[in-house]
Amino acid sequence: MSVSWEEFVTKHAQAVLDSALRVVAIPADAEDVAQEVFLEIFRSKRLSEFADQPALIRKMANRRALDRLRKRKPTSELDGRELDSQGHDPSEYAIAAELDKRLRDGLTFLPMREAEVFCLITFEGCSVSEIAELLNISQGAVAKSLCKARGRLSTTLGIARTEVRQ
């Protein structure tokens, strides 16, 4: 069954955008990542290979999003979103924003496999077996990469190792 480019993009655009947004957290960057992913697929001229492999497309989106994080400047501007302050302490937002920034900054220093495994599990909700198949590695290698990523990120976030395991 042959699928047209328009059908392909329509079918996968939202998933690619969502995957990228979970990693980069800035809509404009996520849109750029989605364009890069679709451009790469288009240039590969292997549309039929990608058509029924949404996990592979999400993997590409995660990789491009991680690349985007690595290219960011050390400081980032506010994106103009206003916070809903009803019933919430503003300091909670500040703490959450700081932890979010530190997590994303920490991802940029992880080796690619560790960052990729962490993003696929944390942001995409993939299982260890799905990631093993997707990355063509053993489930043990996935678990080891995840453990290393969590350990490195816990140091970045200033979280004690005992808190991470819970």
Side-chain angles (χ1 to χ4, degrees), residues 4-151:
S4 73
W5 177 250
E6 291 78 18
E7 292 171 331
F8 177 82
V9 172
T10 300
K11 180 178 179 182
H12 298 286
Q14 193 61 51
V16 169
L17 189 60
D18 290 346
S19 291
L21 187 59
R22 284 189 284 271
V23 176
V24 297
I26 297 175
D29 283 351
E31 291 170 1
D32 289 344
V33 167
Q35 287 181 3
E36 291 170 12
V37 168
F38 285 116
L39 184 60
E40 183 178 341
I41 293 169
F42 183 79
R43 286 182 175 163
S44 75
K45 299 182 183 196
R46 297 181 304 155
L47 181 63
S48 60
E49 292 176 34
F50 288 98
D52 293 323
Q53 296 191 40
L56 180 58
I57 298 167
R58 287 193 337 248
K59 175 181 126 177
M60 290 175 67
N62 274 282
R63 284 186 174 177
R64 296 300 158 265
L66 286 166
D67 290 343
R68 174 67 55 145
L69 280 179
R70 287 184 170 99
K71 291 177 185 175
R72 276 191 189 159
K73 295 179 182 176
T75 58
S76 60
E77 299 177 22
L78 295 175
D79 62 5
R81 289 184 281 180
E82 293 186 25
L83 300 175
D84 173 21
S85 62
Q86 292 180 333
H88 298 285
D89 182 3
S91 65
E92 291 175 10
Y93 285 113
I95 291 168
E98 177 64 22
L99 285 173
D100 183 70
K101 182 184 181 317
R102 287 167 59 188
L103 172 68
R104 291 175 201 291
D105 288 347
L107 286 172
T108 66
F109 294 106
L110 293 178
M112 181 55 94
R113 177 170 287 164
E114 291 176 21
E116 195 170 26
V117 167
F118 181 85
C119 288
L120 288 170
I121 285 182
T122 305
F123 300 136
E124 295 297 318
C126 293
S127 70
V128 171
S129 59
E130 289 173 323
I131 294 169
E133 183 179 332
L134 189 61
L135 300 180
N136 199 27
I137 58 177
S138 70
Q139 291 184 21
V142 171
K144 186 174 182 178
S145 292
L146 180 61
C147 183
K148 284 183 174 182
R150 286 178 174 165

